[in-house]
Amino acid sequence: MNIDIPILAEGKKVYFASDFHLGAPDFETSLDRERRIIAWLDYVAADAQVLFLVGDLFDFWFEYRHVVPKGYVRFLGKLAELSDRGIEIVVFVGNHDLWLGDYLKEQLGATILHQSQSLIIGGRKFFIAHGDGLNPLDGKFRVIKKVFTNPVCQWLFSWLHPDVGITLANLWSGKSRHSQKGTSCDKHLIAHSERMQGSQYHDFYIYGDSHVDRYHELSNGAVYCNLGDWMDRDSYAEFDGDELKLLYFSL
């Protein structure tokens, strides 16, 4: 799948955001966050050519054959509106929504990516990943992820009634979120970027996962950008074809 964007249209920009964790920690808090996200999407829609959503949009997501988790209608409706306006939407699967299937592709025309990507945007080379599992010490998580993404395990889970399956998964997601590594995860992602530079140069490295918003110059001039989250910081990145900026949205 080629999602390179060699040339940006005149006056257009590319936007990046991650870790919305819609659904957490409760309905009221999530709804307030969802409304802020909608306001931000309205704001960037004026000049967005592509919108990259870099994982953990939902605190939990599973696509049964005929059922998806209820809620998020404002968010999904707004993405559909942006897609209908010609804005390309690219969604990376995170560790909390790793069961994303074809629903967003079918309903919104979004591109769903389950792996990290190296791509060209406006003539610059980007490495984009949610960030989970890139820490060499994350062996336990990589084993768990293989189990969760195994088609047989997903098929078995699908036989649970949604009221049971979604309840159990939300409990698991809450524990996973509370064990977030924070600055430790951030440091490992910076180290991962430095190692990658030794074999293949990129101008920009974009991640989520750590919930630590950071813009950092690597040793050879490349830029590391962690998008932070929308649970506390409402942070995002903007690329205009020349400069990448880490910004903060406020109503």
Side-chain angles (χ1 to χ4, degrees), residues 78-206:
K78 181 57 64 176
L79 290 184
E81 177 190 327
L82 298 187
S83 178
D84 289 346
R85 291 171 58 177
I87 298 172
E88 184 176 353
I89 299 170
V90 181
V91 177
F92 282 75
V93 172
N95 51 306
H96 278 257
D97 47 21
L98 52 82
W99 281 339
L100 272 170
D102 292 332
Y103 184 73
L104 298 186
K105 177 181 177 181
E106 293 169 353
Q107 296 296 315
L108 311 176
T111 300
I112 309 298
L113 299 174
H114 292 262
Q115 304 292 337
S116 60
Q117 296 285 316
S118 290
L119 59 149
I120 302 298
I121 303 176
R124 311 294 288 279
K125 192 170 184 181
F126 283 72
F127 177 80
I128 307 175
H130 180 61
D132 55 306
L134 295 181
N135 181 351
L137 303 179
D138 279 347
K140 180 179 178 181
F141 168 76
R142 285 191 287 272
V143 171
I144 293 173
K145 186 173 182 178
K146 285 183 178 180
V147 173
F148 281 6
T149 55
N150 183 282
V152 174
C153 293
Q154 292 185 36
W155 178 80
L156 291 172
F157 185 88
S158 72
W159 281 93
L160 291 174
H161 188 282
D163 287 351
V164 176
I166 292 174
T167 298
L168 291 174
N170 281 333
L171 290 173
W172 174 269
S173 290
K175 290 182 180 179
S176 174
R177 185 167 19 86
H178 290 310
S179 65
Q180 184 63 248
K181 300 182 183 68
T183 54
S184 174
C185 175
D186 185 58
K187 290 178 180 178
H188 283 295
L189 290 176
I190 291 175
H192 175 268
S193 303
E194 292 279 15
R195 289 193 299 271
M196 281 197 67
Q197 284 294 84
S199 58
Q200 49 179 318
Y201 179 86
H202 292 80
D203 297 289
F204 303 103
Y205 291 82
I206 307 285

Side-chain angles (χ1 to χ4, degrees), residues 1 26 29 34 52 69 72 75 77 90 131 140 145 159 168 171 175 183 218 234:
M1 179 184 299
D26 52 55
T29 305
E34 185 176 10
F52 284 91
Y72 324 125
F75 175 61
V90 181
K140 180 179 178 181
K145 186 173 182 178
W159 281 93
L168 291 174
L171 290 173
K175 290 182 180 179
T183 54
L218 301 176
D234 295 1

